[in-house]
Amino acid sequence: MVRDVTDLYEEFGEERLPPGQRKTEAFPVLSKSGTPEFDPESWEFTVTGAVEDGLSFTWDEFRDLPGETQRQDFHCVTGWSKFDCEFTGVPFPELADRAGVREDAVHVMFYGMDDYTTDLPLEDCMTDEVLLAWGYDGDDLPPDHGGPLRVVTPQKYAYKGSKWVTGVEFLTEPERGYWEKRGYSRTADPWNEERYS
């Protein structure tokens, strides 16, 4: 079963296509460097920081977590949007609930296999539409699109969705991720065109 969340834009703007974006049928590949190698035997996903219980998952354990398939839109900060992507994965609140997020947690840092980092306020993560996705359009997520696991954030520009993600850290103070340190917006709202700080 696929849950359609493409009406999410109604919370942020009047048009499904955010201003300054062009719709594309392609799915361009963008990353800060090359595609890292994935070894399912050594791969580990961790949940750390301001939580009651730190978590660690092997690849098989992560794939066994409760998940779902959602139809989402995908907005790149460089100006293109792809509608009706079907991502399969674990909703962010599932991990947060398992770890027991402390009351003093306010921010989340995501870590990728390629040393990429990106940050979001905790409140922006605590929605089922923020997925840790391992599937795309009925198949495994391709490596160049962040497989085995990436974060998708349909309410944000896609640089907020770390590719090749291997961990999340709950923070008690905001910190800046890779692109945020280089002048990109910390809020990244496509409907307000928050591309740069």
Side-chain angles (χ1 to χ4, degrees):
M1 178 178 168
V2 178
R3 185 160 76 92
D4 191 327
V5 298
T6 56
D7 61 354
L8 183 68
Y9 75 90
E10 295 173 357
E11 297 178 30
F12 304 97
E14 295 182 0
E15 300 291 334
R16 185 174 175 187
L17 185 67
Q21 297 292 105
R22 66 188 181 283
K23 185 180 174 186
T24 180
E25 298 301 321
F27 198 175
V29 173
L30 297 170
S31 59
K32 78 174 187 68
S33 54
T35 302
E37 290 293 321
F38 165 56
D39 179 359
E41 297 302 316
S42 61
W43 185 91
E44 180 186 33
F45 184 91
T46 59
V47 181
T48 60
V51 294
E52 300 298 334
D53 299 297
L55 303 174
S56 176
F57 300 94
T58 66
W59 178 236
D60 288 339
E61 289 169 341
F62 196 92
R63 287 289 297 261
D64 285 341
L65 291 171
E68 65 179 25
T69 299
Q70 296 181 8
R71 184 174 297 114
Q72 301 186 351
D73 296 338
F74 188 97
H75 307 294
C76 182
V77 71
T78 61
W80 56 267
S81 293
K82 181 172 173 56
F83 287 176
D84 300 317
C85 301
E86 290 190 5
F87 290 108
T88 301
V90 179
F92 185 91
E94 174 72 28
L95 285 176
D97 290 347
R98 286 173 179 261
V101 179
R102 296 194 332 230
E103 289 185 2
D104 58 343
V106 297
H107 221 72
V108 179
M109 187 69 78
F110 296 87
Y111 297 92
M113 290 167 61
D114 61 344
D115 296 323
Y116 183 76
T117 56
T118 191
D119 66 280
L120 276 172
L122 176 59
E123 62 184 353
D124 289 347
C125 296
M126 292 300 290
T127 169
D128 285 340
E129 291 80 24
V130 174
L131 280 182
L132 290 101
W134 46 260
Y136 173 68
D137 281 1
D139 206 343
D140 288 343
L141 182 67
D144 58 351
H145 283 299
L149 189 70
R150 75 166 298 155
V151 181
V152 288
T153 54
Q155 81 280 32
K156 302 290 183 183
Y157 287 122
Y159 68 88
K160 290 294 187 179
S162 177
K163 294 168 111 176
W164 312 296
V165 66
T166 56
V168 298
E169 181 183 7
F170 290 85
L171 305 171
T172 57
E173 297 287 341
E175 295 180 19
R176 293 180 188 271
Y178 178 85
W179 284 120
E180 294 82 5
K181 289 177 181 176
R182 290 159 173 80
Y184 279 63
S185 170
R186 300 189 77 182
T187 49
D189 181 340
W191 289 271
N192 284 325
E193 289 200 84
E194 295 169 358
R195 301 176 196 271
Y196 308 105
S197 57

